[in-house]
Every structure is written in C-alpha cells, then in structure tokens.
Amino acid sequence: MQPQMMVHDRYFYDPVAGKYTVDRYLDDLEKRYGGIDAVLVWAVYPNAGIDDRNEHDMARSMPGGIEGLKQMVADFHRRGVKVLFPMMMWDQGTSDPGTDWPTAFAEFMKEIDADGVNGDTQDGVPLAFSLAAEKVGHPLAFEPERGPSDEALAWNVLHVGPVPIYVRTYGGQVSLARSPPPGQYSGPLGPGQDGCSAIRLL
C-alpha cells in the first residue's frame, strides 16, 4: 500500500512545533486501514508554476530544507516505510538543475536517502534514470504512472495505475497475460467457460 501524500497534510507536519510528525501520520493510517509500505511525498502541487522553482527546489523549500528532508525520510525508514518522490518530465522552463535530469534525480535522492521515484504521467521511466542512480551508488525503485514496455520492466519495478491483466482459461487451467491472444477476448466469463477475460489489478 502506497498513498500519494500532499506535503500540507496536517497529520504530516506540525506548523506550531515546526517539525514533521511522521509517527502521527503513520499511526493514523494504521488505524484507518492497517498501515502502508511506502509513501509518495508530493511537494510539487499546487505550487508548480508559481515561480521558477523546479521540482527539486520545491522539495528543498519544505520546512527544514535538506536536513529536514533527511530526518523525515529517516523517520519513515525507522517505521519500515519506503519513501518516493515524484518526477515531472513536463517540468520545463523552471530553474536549471545544473546537470542532466537523470543525474540530478540520482544525486538528490541519494542526498536525502529516498528509495524511489514516481514517474508522473509516464508510461515507463527512461533507463537513463536507473543508470544514473547506479552510477552514484544509490539504486532506486522506479514507478511509472502507466505500464511500461516489456523490456522496461527490468528497472520500472513499481506501478501506480490499474493494469489490465487478462485471465485465460482452458480446460480448467488458468493463466495470466498482459494482453489477450488475437481475437480471443470474450468479455466476462461464466463458471466453467473457456476463453479470455480482463480483470484489473489495483
């Protein structure tokens, strides 16, 4: 389970105390639906475009700056929760990161010890991002919003949206596939029927 958490969530940060309240945030989610495995920390909306800050600048401007982010990530890790930050390929015309984006992401995620990157609106995070993470010695999990191509599954190991999975039945045997055999999609199947039916994994 991985929610997309807006950074202005009132359970996540206490503006009076001036500190992140990761335990409070996680305790609430455990009460509500049993807890989470990872969190996507969303610092870009609704501020993107209000000035020339890029997506990393937005994260760095969170309370406490880099040191605050590092402590916040460490607090999630202490509770066994992985931390991801988003990547907007459409983040154009904002401040230059000073290097290519794959390297900028790898270095920033390493600096704050984050675990992965969510590829907003992407149907596969490009391989260059995975290679850059390996180069700086901080491998990351990549999570595109849409399903990547088969070859990109090697480095896009997480996924956000619903993925259509086709269930094929024949003679009582069941198999799963990412796409139906040509001409064999038959819609919802009844008990004991053979054919191919789509389901969605969330």
Side-chain angles (χ1 to χ4, degrees):
M1 173 74 69
Q2 176 201 291
Q4 175 177 321
M5 180 195 65
M6 305 301 281
V7 295
H8 52 269
D9 189 304
R10 293 184 181 187
Y11 280 85
F12 174 62
Y13 184 77
D14 183 340
V16 175
K19 67 176 186 177
Y20 294 102
T21 52
V22 170
D23 286 325
R24 180 177 183 229
Y25 175 76
L26 293 175
D27 289 346
D28 174 63
L29 295 186
E30 284 182 3
K31 288 176 191 170
R32 285 201 274 162
Y33 50 82
I36 60 175
D37 304 296
V39 62
L40 172 55
V41 179
W42 205 267
V44 182
Y45 302 150
N47 299 318
I50 199 166
D51 53 30
D52 68 349
R53 287 178 294 169
N54 66 41
E55 53 203 280
H56 292 169
D57 297 332
M58 292 281 181
R60 288 186 184 98
S61 67
M62 288 172 59
I66 291 294
E67 291 306 313
L69 290 175
K70 288 165 73 171
Q71 184 59 57
M72 176 265 291
V73 171
D75 289 345
F76 275 113
H77 286 169
R78 178 176 44 81
R79 295 283 297 265
V81 175
K82 303 293 187 184
V83 181
L84 290 84
F85 281 81
M87 170 176 51
M88 283 68 179
M89 296 290 274
W90 45 263
D91 182 6
Q92 304 292 318
T94 56
S95 65
D96 189 328
T99 185
D100 59 275
W101 275 109
T103 300
F105 262 95
E107 291 175 347
F108 183 46
M109 295 297 98
K110 180 178 182 178
E111 184 177 18
I112 61 175
D113 198 29
D115 304 290
V117 174
N118 165 271
D120 183 54
T121 71
Q122 296 175 42
D123 55 2
V125 175
L127 177 58
F129 288 86
S130 181
L131 295 175
E134 290 177 13
K135 186 175 181 180
V136 301
H138 190 74
L140 295 165
F142 292 96
E143 176 187 68
E145 185 171 343
R146 299 184 183 98
S149 62
D150 288 344
E151 62 272 12
L153 290 172
W155 64 91
N156 286 273
V157 296
L158 299 173
H159 191 270
V160 174
V163 180
I165 300 294
Y166 295 86
V167 179
R168 289 182 284 201
T169 59
Y170 181 75
Q173 300 295 314
V174 177
S175 65
L176 301 179
R178 288 183 54 172
S179 58
Q184 291 191 25
Y185 177 66
S186 60
L189 298 174
Q193 290 182 302
D194 290 332
C196 183
S197 181
I199 61 172
R200 287 194 175 270
L201 301 182
L202 301 177

